[in-house]
Amino acid sequence: MRYEFLVGLRYTRSRKRAQGRNRFISFISLVSMLGIALGVAALIVVLSVMNGFQEELRTRILGVASHVVVQGLEGELPSWQQVADEAGRHPSVKAAAPFIQEQGMLSFDEVVRGTLVRGVIPAVEDKVADFGRYMKAGSLDALQAGRFGIVLGRDLAMSLRVHLGDKVTLIAPQGLVTPAAVLPRVKQFEVVGIFEAGMYEYDSGLALVHMADAQALYRMGDGVTGVRLKLDDLFAAPRVARELVGYIEQPNAMISDWTRSHANFFRAVALEKTMMTLILFLIVGVAAFNIVSTLVMAVQEKYADIAILRTLGASPGSIMAIFVLQGSIIGLVGLVAGVVGGLAIAHNLDVVIPALEAITGATLWNKEIYYINELPSKVLMSDVVTILTVSFVLTLLAALYPSWRASKVNPAEALRYE
């Protein structure tokens, strides 16, 4: 073992016989290690939660929404089958499904709730959305033309206090003009299914009906609102949307993809992740620069030792290496402890969060605020490597100045009063 490493390690450890200032320096070293460990663990947990949150949101939104939507400029798209066939010629398009989307109001037993009504063809809708695996009761196939069945989100059904087989009243905003007054169009629908996508926006505000029933209620004839497309790669949606302009010959068609329809939402999540990362790196930076005070005090304490090493032939570079190694050891121990603790928490959030809620009595995860009903976590090795690299660089930078001061100690001055 090189003597620089041996001396640096001995300076880092706290011995039982150490007294006074030396023991205090060891205590400061321990505090620095704990600070780095807490900062690194917090970074890993927060970034894992943000990664899982982004992926879960994207999965659940696109499980109900669509990768690309072709809509009519005036809210109605004629000849939807032609549009679907033209879009299907693109090699990245896997499936297409028509839909009608309108506003409505549901009423049951004196309870009224506003809702987004989507008319679909069940057999085709399963190819572009994941309602099949989201069904908690009933079936999407129970939506049949002319039967006037309806499938509700779980939270919407609970707020209306309805179950399978109940009949709800759907009120369309378009009215019927009569000599007496303008009357709203009203139709009774039977609840044939309840789904739970796990995203509050859809579970509390979306109702599915058969497309033929929606066309009859909203008097759209054979028209639809648009065509939803599913791609083989959801991240290629912006490129495919641009290329579809050359495939679709419908003059009144407007093409948009999921990155545009939910752009502000995902940008807000990405910005939040960036700002949280910067804030937590500042915490790690503060903990790392505690090493400065630790090493400055260590240098002051070891003036005589440094002078003796210099008189024995140690070079200034060796003296500097001793204290750089001491700072590096403090940083590495903190980093290892932080990574182990952070990974343990990130992989067991489903246990940690309920335990904290039970201890504090507070609700830490509210699906009405965070859109999804559970706290997700996804650890990316690229994030862990970045955290380790940046944190270790910060500890090295913090150790440089005190180590340089130690290398400049004059042996004669240091030993004058010894």
Side-chain angles (χ1 to χ4, degrees), residues 327-350:
S328 300
I329 291 170
I330 294 172
L332 284 174
V333 173
L335 287 175
V336 171
V339 169
V340 172
L343 292 177
I345 296 173
H347 286 298
N348 294 280
L349 280 176
D350 55 338

Side-chain angles (χ1 to χ4, degrees), residues 108 137-138 147 150 162-168 189-194:
F108 179 78
R147 180 183 172 184
I150 190 169
V162 298
H163 303 87
L164 289 181
D166 289 339
K167 292 186 180 294
V168 297
F189 283 77
E190 179 184 352
V191 179
V192 297
I194 296 174

Side-chain angles (χ1 to χ4, degrees), residues 18 30 76 90 130 156 168 176 180 196 216 243 290 300 321 327 342 366 370-371 398:
L30 179 61
E76 187 171 334
H90 193 287
D130 297 327
L156 179 59
V168 297
L176 292 171
E196 183 180 15
E243 294 174 354
N290 282 339
Q300 294 292 331
N366 190 333
Y370 299 107
Y371 291 97

Side-chain angles (χ1 to χ4, degrees), residues 98-100 116-126 131-132 135 137-153 164-166 168 170 188-195 206-214 228:
F99 72 98
I100 292 175
L116 187 68
V117 180
R118 181 182 295 174
V120 300
I121 301 176
V124 182
E125 185 69 14
D126 273 338
F131 284 110
M135 297 301 298
S139 170
L140 189 66
D141 294 330
L143 294 177
Q144 299 176 6
R147 180 183 172 184
F148 290 97
I150 190 169
V151 175
L152 303 177
L164 289 181
D166 289 339
V168 297
L170 178 57
Q188 272 200 334
F189 283 77
E190 179 184 352
V191 179
V192 297
I194 296 174
F195 71 87
L206 181 62
L208 305 177
V209 300
H210 195 280
M211 194 174 73
D213 297 341
R228 304 167 66 216

Side-chain angles (χ1 to χ4, degrees), residues 103-398:
Q103 298 290 331
M105 185 176 293
L106 288 173
S107 173
F108 179 78
D109 194 21
E110 299 183 355
V111 179
V112 179
R113 292 289 183 273
T115 183
L116 187 68
V117 180
R118 181 182 295 174
V120 300
I121 301 176
V124 182
E125 185 69 14
D126 273 338
K127 298 178 181 179
V128 299
D130 297 327
F131 284 110
R133 66 186 180 94
Y134 292 152
M135 297 301 298
K136 296 299 180 182
S139 170
L140 189 66
D141 294 330
L143 294 177
Q144 299 176 6
R147 180 183 172 184
F148 290 97
I150 190 169
V151 175
L152 303 177
R154 178 178 175 273
D155 292 326
L156 179 59
M158 289 179 63
S159 63
L160 290 170
R161 298 192 291 273
V162 298
H163 303 87
L164 289 181
D166 289 339
K167 292 186 180 294
V168 297
T169 302
L170 178 57
I171 305 170
Q174 296 86 347
L176 292 171
V177 179
T178 67
V182 178
L183 302 176
R185 284 202 292 273
V186 178
K187 183 64 181 178
Q188 272 200 334
F189 283 77
E190 179 184 352
V191 179
V192 297
I194 296 174
F195 71 87
E196 183 180 15
M199 190 159 180
Y200 185 75
E201 178 183 358
Y202 297 126
D203 291 342
S204 64
L206 181 62
L208 305 177
V209 300
H210 195 280
M211 194 174 73
D213 297 341
Q215 288 172 330
L217 179 64
Y218 292 98
R219 293 189 173 181
M220 297 185 65
D222 294 330
V224 299
T225 302
V227 176
R228 304 167 66 216
L229 306 178
K230 185 174 183 178
L231 310 181
D232 54 5
D233 180 10
L234 65 92
F235 295 105
R239 174 183 59 81
V240 175
R242 291 191 300 269
E243 294 174 354
L244 283 173
V245 175
Y247 286 81
I248 297 175
E249 300 176 359
Q250 178 68 249
N252 295 324
M254 179 178 62
I255 304 172
S256 62
D257 62 271
W258 68 272
T259 62
R260 294 175 59 188
S261 57
H262 299 86
N264 292 336
F265 189 77
F266 285 106
R267 284 174 187 166
V269 174
L271 178 62
E272 184 178 355
K273 178 182 176 182
T274 302
M275 295 308 299
M276 289 296 295
T277 303
L278 291 176
I279 292 170
L280 291 174
F281 264 127
L282 289 177
I283 296 174
V284 176
V286 171
F289 281 99
N290 282 339
I291 297 174
V292 175
S293 60
T294 302
L295 294 184
V296 168
M297 295 177 65
V299 169
Q300 294 292 331
E301 176 71 19
K302 305 298 182 184
Y303 253 43
D305 295 8
I306 295 169
I308 293 171
L309 287 173
R310 289 296 308 277
T311 59
L312 291 174
S315 66
S318 295
I319 300 299
M320 186 172 180
I322 288 172
F323 289 97
V324 169
L325 282 170
Q326 183 179 355
S328 300
I329 291 170
I330 294 172
L332 284 174
V333 173
L335 287 175
V336 171
V339 169
V340 172
L343 292 177
I345 296 173
H347 286 298
N348 294 280
L349 280 176
D350 55 338
V351 177
V352 174
I353 296 301
L356 289 176
E357 290 181 338
I359 293 172
T360 62
T363 301
L364 302 179
W365 188 261
N366 190 333
K367 66 180 180 179
E368 296 184 11
I369 299 175
Y370 299 107
Y371 291 97
I372 56 179
N373 56 2
E374 60 185 12
L375 182 62
S377 177
K378 182 182 181 181
V379 179
L380 296 180
M381 288 309 300
S382 58
D383 288 341
V384 176
V385 172
T386 301
I387 292 169
L388 285 173
T389 303
V390 175
S391 300
F392 186 66
V393 169
L394 288 175
T395 59
L396 283 181
L397 291 175

